[in-house]
Amino acid sequence: DCGGPRRNFFSEFAVQLPCEEPLLWRTTGKGSLEPTASVLSARVGNSAALYRACGRVFGLAITNKCKLGRPIAHSFARLLVGDEPTNVQELQAELNRESSESAPDFRGSAALLQQPLATSGLDDLLCFTRQVTYSGAEADAPPEVELTPGGGGTAVTDENKEEWLTRLLHHKLVESLRPAAEAFREGMVDVLGG
């Protein structure tokens, strides 16, 4: 087929994933593909098998030298190869790498850690939780994840904001994506060997 239908399959597959499976995949501000947080993907009973199947498709794209219609988010690619970001600077850099230039994420700003929360208008607004949102048709109240035991009752202050930011970004970019990364990697290994 000179790569036509095959090439189109891989390109369309990656483009359609966030539309067809909003509980499993999302796009970043830059349009890269990344799994949803595990608290969302767990709502799909066979999420590990589906992520593994996606890993197989991506592996087949590699073996057929076909490009996908979307890049994989850099932070997700790092999880796939076992290179997790660990400190707040690395986590912020990963967040910023995938944030839209026209709508930067305040959590990626160095000023967040350098300025008092009151200067940013965030004093008394944050606690040690993460609200996980998505844009699926069946979107309901977004689940809230505690970043520490009792995190819903722990206010973020100037003294603990670096710990909060580290825990929040680690959950967003590493911890909540790890189950998807493990299953996806298994699928790629099924095709590429390992």
Side-chain angles (χ1 to χ4, degrees):
D1 72 2
C2 298
R6 181 175 37 215
R7 181 179 55 243
N8 288 342
F9 167 77
F10 292 117
S11 180
E12 284 299 310
F13 183 82
V15 168
Q16 293 302 317
L17 277 176
C19 302
E20 299 296 325
E21 295 293 343
L23 287 173
L24 295 176
W25 294 98
R26 64 179 294 273
T27 54
T28 66
K30 292 248 173 105
S32 301
L33 192 62
E34 74 177 359
T36 59
S38 56
V39 70
L40 293 177
S41 63
R43 295 178 179 183
V44 178
N46 57 348
S47 62
L50 292 170
Y51 283 126
R52 187 173 183 162
C54 289
R56 289 177 179 148
V57 172
F58 278 58
L60 286 170
I62 292 168
T63 61
N64 285 285
K65 297 179 174 67
C66 292
K67 288 188 176 185
L68 296 161
R70 292 187 185 278
I72 292 177
H74 189 264
S75 57
F76 183 58
R78 285 185 68 175
L79 287 178
L80 292 175
V81 298
D83 180 31
E84 297 177 1
T86 55
N87 62 49
V88 72
Q89 291 80 17
E90 277 188 295
L91 291 161
Q92 283 186 305
E94 288 299 331
L95 181 71
N96 290 335
R97 185 180 198 124
E98 293 295 339
S99 292
S100 168
E101 291 175 19
S102 63
D105 191 315
F106 80 96
R107 299 169 298 182
S109 168
L112 178 62
L113 294 176
Q114 295 166 351
Q115 300 175 10
L117 290 171
T119 303
S120 305
L122 297 172
D123 202 24
D124 297 326
L125 293 178
L126 304 170
C127 59
F128 275 71
T129 61
R130 173 181 174 221
Q131 199 150 35
V132 180
T133 59
Y134 71 106
S135 58
E138 57 282 329
D140 51 9
E144 190 169 82
V145 177
E146 289 191 335
L147 303 173
T148 59
T154 306
V156 176
T157 65
D158 288 323
E159 292 73 32
N160 66 13
K161 67 183 172 185
E162 185 171 345
E163 177 190 1
W164 163 79
L165 185 60
T166 302
R167 287 179 182 271
L168 177 86
L169 295 181
H170 189 268
H171 186 272
K172 176 180 175 48
L173 300 171
V174 178
E175 190 177 328
S176 72
L177 304 184
R178 191 176 285 127
E182 290 169 358
F184 191 93
R185 183 184 317 109
E186 288 173 9
M188 290 186 75
V189 168
D190 289 344
V191 174
L192 303 173

